[in-house]
Amino acid sequence: MDDSTQRSEPRLDRRQFLAGATGVGAASVGLGSGLVGRASAQQGTTHKVAMITEGSEYIFDPIGLYIEPGDTVQFYIDSGDHSATAYHPNNPRASTRRIPEGAANFDSGTLTEKGAAYEHTFETKGTYDYYCIPHKTLGMVGRLVVGEPGGPATESPIPDKPGSGIMPPSDKIVEEKKISYPYVPETGGGSLPGLALGGAALFALANTYLLSDYDVRSGRYSEEEFEDDTETGR
């Protein structure tokens, strides 16, 4: 090959080379950033629910929790032996379904060591009721709302009463995001247990008065029995 042929070949200027390299690098970075962004968007938040034995009570705390679709819940042993098990016909001791249609079933099995944990990621929107296998009938139940209320858990009362208080409604969970155990709703005149005790006291007082008035009017007691004791010294 002669010199004229060599001179006719195009040469890549140093500045052109650097500009090209920079462009390729920027495109690579942009592509990488997009992938990282998509991965971050797909990775949900992890929430924690403690499983607790406290005296004669067996507790999920919080008893009510709101999460977004794609979030994960970690159920962990604070004390005692417990499970986190969905109300689903395929699970032990659950004869009814109380999770949304199409939602993935979950069951941790009974965990026995302090700090042991089970995680489940919730993708389907709706209300999820769950329980502890050993303590279901003793009131160890909980509720999650994923995205928005819905499904069988919103159509009928939970079959197992929470130990203290009541199961928080789905809309209340959405409003407050996290509800600690126990949930005792305010009625404007005090908590439900307080109102119940107050009502019982008023009923007993009224009943006592009516019985006393009846005894006096019935003539069972003579007037002498009602004379002033201050004069007799009794």
Side-chain angles (χ1 to χ4, degrees), residues 143-226:
R143 174 169 287 173
L144 298 166
V145 177
V146 181
E148 61 188 30
T154 63
E155 297 167 1
S156 61
I158 191 166
D160 302 283
K161 178 186 177 297
S164 297
I166 66 173
M167 181 62 78
S170 296
D171 55 354
K172 189 68 172 178
I173 295 173
V174 173
E175 177 186 341
E176 297 195 12
K177 307 307 181 189
K178 181 186 294 187
I179 298 178
S180 297
Y181 178 93
Y183 172 66
V184 180
E186 291 293 332
T187 61
S191 65
L192 288 180
L195 289 175
L197 290 173
L202 288 174
F203 175 80
L205 184 62
N207 196 43
T208 300
Y209 170 78
L210 290 173
L211 288 174
S212 300
D213 186 61
Y214 172 79
D215 283 343
V216 172
R217 292 176 183 276
S218 67
R220 292 173 57 189
Y221 304 103
S222 64
E223 292 184 3
E224 288 79 5
E225 292 181 79
F226 290 96

Side-chain angles (χ1 to χ4, degrees), residues 51-59 78-82 135 140:
M51 299 186 284
I52 304 168
T53 296
E54 193 171 88
S56 61
E57 291 202 285
Y58 305 93
I59 299 164
D78 179 271
S79 54
D81 300 347
H82 306 290
H135 307 119
M140 190 167 176

Side-chain angles (χ1 to χ4, degrees), residues 116-137:
Y118 167 77
E119 293 187 350
H120 182 79
T121 300
F122 293 83
E123 302 287 355
T124 303
K125 291 182 178 181
T127 301
Y128 295 69
D129 283 350
Y130 61 94
Y131 62 95
C132 168
I133 293 172
H135 307 119
K136 174 174 175 281
T137 58

